[in-house]
Amino acid sequence: MKRFCFSALAASVAIGSLVSCNEGFSSTTYSSEDSFAAAEGSGYALEVRISAEYPASGLQKTALDNIDKTLTATLFGDMYSALDPEKAIEAYKADRVKEYRETNAPLIKESGEMPTASLDWSDYVTGAVSGCHKNILSYSVTKYSFTGGAHGMTAETALNFDMKTGDLLTESDFFKEGYKDRLPGLLSSHLAESLENPSDTSMLFTQEIGPNGNFAIGEKGITYIYNQYEIGPYAMGIIRVTVPWEELEGLY
């Protein structure tokens, strides 16, 4: 039977993390997974899964504080940014459960507990360090939400931080002037190879792509992320296009 209560958070510390950023860098990952019934005794439930990695050491305290605040706001929402990770997660879960129960209570009453798949909701939030380059830390936030309908929606957002200050970097902070003129050609030239089947370019809404502000910095180069429906149909999923560092010479 689906449980009606909140689950406890589990926290784990990863020394050096999965990505080696600098000597002494470590992170803490907060994880929570549980189901919350729409009403006591109901077979319908909201499933919440959270895995959020936060830098814990290896950076100046000011940088850590700045990064933590930005991560919490991006993972869960601006209204939670002043809370520490554990409190933010609990508050976020409580708000999602409240919304779920208030939205579906009338539908459950009307349906008489007849099987209705749309009354089962899912909310998954994942955040993890994805790469480092020089003094820049890249972080990936992935969210999946299903609130009924034909399918759920997944969105991935990349964040890039100055590891000295913890400030969030934009495209214009990282690239030199004129990058908007050169990047579209570079990105478009790597689009086909980024697809599982290069011939699927025929399914894209466009084969000429440009920078969209959603980029991650890694060992091989810069990867731009295009979410579902952005440049292709839902079935193609999230498309990631990487431009190697050697082709970006003079642009950053």
Side-chain angles (χ1 to χ4, degrees), residues 35-46:
S35 294
F36 303 96
E40 192 163 8
S42 172
Y44 303 121
L46 164 67

Side-chain angles (χ1 to χ4, degrees), residues 120-124 143-155 228-229 234-235 237:
D120 283 321
W121 286 15
S122 300
D123 192 299
Y124 305 155
K143 296 184 178 183
Y144 170 81
S145 177
F146 177 77
T147 57
H151 53 70
M153 286 293 294
T154 302
Q228 294 167 328
Y229 294 121
Y234 175 85

Side-chain angles (χ1 to χ4, degrees), residues 76-166:
F76 309 114
D78 290 337
M79 68 286 290
Y80 308 103
S81 63
L83 301 176
D84 65 46
E86 291 179 294
K87 290 181 180 179
I89 290 172
E90 290 299 338
Y92 175 82
K93 289 195 301 181
D95 288 343
R96 296 290 74 72
V97 172
K98 180 181 179 182
E99 176 192 14
Y100 169 65
R101 288 175 177 161
E102 289 180 347
T103 300
N104 288 296
L107 300 177
I108 292 173
K109 185 176 181 180
E110 292 173 9
S111 69
E113 286 292 346
M114 293 293 289
T116 307
S118 62
L119 298 188
D120 283 321
W121 286 15
S122 300
D123 192 299
Y124 305 155
V125 180
T126 303
V129 175
S130 59
C132 294
H133 181 73
K134 296 184 179 179
N135 290 318
I136 298 175
L137 171 74
S138 273
Y139 190 95
S140 175
V141 174
T142 304
K143 296 184 178 183
Y144 170 81
S145 177
F146 177 77
T147 57
H151 53 70
M153 286 293 294
T154 302
E156 182 178 341
T157 302
L159 305 173
N160 299 290
F161 296 98
D162 183 322
M163 295 177 69
K164 293 182 178 179
T165 63

Side-chain angles (χ1 to χ4, degrees), residues 206-232:
T206 176
Q207 295 184 28
E208 300 295 328
I209 59 173
N212 63 354
N214 195 6
F215 68 103
I217 295 170
E219 182 179 347
K220 295 182 179 180
I222 293 179
T223 299
Y224 269 86
I225 301 159
Y226 301 89
N227 282 303
Q228 294 167 328
Y229 294 121
E230 192 170 348
I231 61 172

Side-chain angles (χ1 to χ4, degrees), residues 16-32:
S17 185
L18 294 177
V19 178
S20 179
C21 293
N22 60 30
E23 186 177 352
F25 181 86
S26 69
S27 64
T28 300
T29 298
Y30 301 90
S31 300
S32 178

